[in-house]
Amino acid sequence: MDVLDILRAVYEHSLDGIVITDADTVIQDCNPAYARLCGYTREELIGRKTNVVRSGLTPRWVFEQMWRSLHETGRWVGELINRRKDGSLWVSFLSITRIDDAEGRVRAYVGIARDITERRRLEEQLQAQSTRLDALLDAMVSGVLMFDNDDRCVVANGRMTEILGVGQEALIGQPRSRLAERMRHLFREPEVLTAPTETGRRCLTTREEPPRHFTEYWAPVATAEGVVLGRLFTFRDVTREAEIDRMKSEFIATVSHELRTPMTSVKGALGLLLAGAAGEVTPAQRELLTIALNNTDRLIRLINDVLDLSRIEAGRMELHRQPVQVAAAVRSALQELEVYRVQRQIEVATEIPPDLPPVYADPDRLGQVLVNLLGNAFKFSDPGGRVTVRARTEEGMVRVEVSDTGPGIPPEDLERIFERFYRVSGPTSRKGGTGLGLAICRAIVQEHGGRIWAESRLGEGSTFIFTLPIAQAPPGNQAAGPGESPGQPAGGTVSGGG
Ligand code: ADP
């Protein structure tokens, strides 16, 4: 094999540029790749000094270092910013070797250059992007933690270090379990930094006095292609919002309470007038008085609903919890609605197993939830419709379903109907009602530690489902009431859609 032949071929065909200069850096020869990189022809370059490709943008110290190194070791590797013949710039990754003659005098310098302009540009872009992201994360009002798929912390922003009172170095690289332990010193909720569902949120309260309130959110982090990179946790201080909210609810509760007393008296007076207590009532007067009475009833219903909801939201709903038989609660709710059911011509069926364990609930509040759901089912179904109440145990809870054969609910409204005053637009919105019933149901069920949601297909009826904790059997002759027994689920966690 003729090695020289092969080296010559490498010189001719290499993608890296090769340039040979004399001791004064005058170019003696270069390969086609070097000429191409510089934007000159080989003939144009031969006889010129290498500074023909200089841009003036490479810092001076680079050349100083280059010459020092060539002088001392005969070798140098570094980066230069060069200019082509057409004026455009390129970044050269260059290695230079000094070739000496027998007497130790410089005979030649050989440079091998590669164009790394694109790589540099991408690196700079990445660097800028990462600087921007860091600044953005630090500007956020929420604390942010991200864990990779090995559950190690890879992102912690400035706000997070403030919340925890430690530096970033104490967070990055730490396993999630370690940080969870640290957080349990700050927050009362032991489940902080766990994620029982794909996405969700929970309310957190700090241990200090007065406590601060936070909302913790969690969600997977994935690329546009769906590759999961890890999991994100954010912590938002909602202390002020919570206080304002409480004050608002308190205000509404007071106003509604004050409204209810005069309204009740108006209703009483109208009733007396209608009964002829103030003299004979003509048919025309009766008609007007009846309208007034009906509207007074509606107004009182609305005030009661608002009062209920604001009490719950201000945390002032007292639950008198005890073991309650669901079948009995359903029976009495149906009794309360019997006149309405007959008027609406709806069939009712109940499918409740006789051995269903009792739930641990406030009987009045459970009754309110059932009356609301059954009332809606009767209201929104056409005459001849059918409503079914089912109950069974599921995952340590009792699950109650109220299904109807009504018009159904569009999928985009299934979650929103539980908001205050939200009503599905279209025919159902003309059926009367305050739009508060389901919001109250949700507040009551959540206060009990359960979940409530709706499932429906348009045109095929709706099913409203709620869960309540099972009442524990009295633990032998121990004195602890049902509230203190460890099996009772605690409220407070809101996760997924419930
Ligand atoms: P209201 O019944 O007083 O309007 P709710 O909070 O009880 O208020 O219900 C909110 C809305 O949800 C209703 O206006 C209606 O649009 C929809 N909805 C509730 N229950 C049903 C049901 N069984 N079938 C169809 N739509 C329903």
Side-chain angles (χ1 to χ4, degrees), residues 34 38 40 45 49-55 81-83:
Y34 189 77
C38 298
Y40 291 91
L45 287 170
K49 284 196 149 203
T50 49
N51 62 15
V52 64
V53 300
R54 275 200 194 175
S55 64
I81 303 170
N82 289 343
R83 198 184 293 282

Side-chain angles (χ1 to χ4, degrees), residues 372 376-377 379-380 404 407-409 417 422-424 428-429 432-439 462 464:
N372 255 316
N376 276 349
K379 177 163 72 177
F380 294 114
D404 62 47
I409 300 161
I417 50 173
Y422 189 85
R423 299 164 74 189
V424 178
T428 59
S429 65
T434 62
L436 285 174
L438 290 176
S462 317
F464 284 79

Side-chain angles (χ1 to χ4, degrees), residues 392-399 453 467 470:
R392 60 180 151 99
T393 55
E394 189 181 85
E395 292 168 6
M397 305 283 273
V398 168
R399 170 190 166 110
W453 69 99
T467 61
I470 296 174

Side-chain angles (χ1 to χ4, degrees), residues 260-279 281 285 288-290 292-294 296-297 300:
R260 195 161 60 167
T261 318
M263 274 326 287
T264 313
S265 132
V266 170
K267 177 184 155 124
L270 288 172
L272 285 172
L273 279 177
L274 268 168
V281 182
Q285 288 169 340
L288 290 175
L289 284 173
T290 308
L293 189 62
N294 284 341
T296 316
D297 275 338
I300 291 176

Side-chain angles (χ1 to χ4, degrees), residues 251-318:
F251 170 73
I252 295 172
T254 313
V255 171
S256 354
H257 187 77
E258 293 300 319
L259 280 173
R260 195 161 60 167
T261 318
M263 274 326 287
T264 313
S265 132
V266 170
K267 177 184 155 124
L270 288 172
L272 285 172
L273 279 177
L274 268 168
E280 190 77 24
V281 182
T282 67
Q285 288 169 340
R286 173 171 300 278
E287 199 184 322
L288 290 175
L289 284 173
T290 308
I291 293 174
L293 189 62
N294 284 341
N295 278 293
T296 316
D297 275 338
R298 245 183 84 186
L299 204 52
I300 291 176
R301 258 202 320 272
L302 179 63
I303 292 170
N304 279 336
D305 279 358
V306 171
L307 189 56
D308 263 347
L309 197 59
S310 53
R311 270 200 190 129
I312 298 170
E313 287 177 351
R316 290 216 317 248
M317 180 173 57
E318 277 179 35

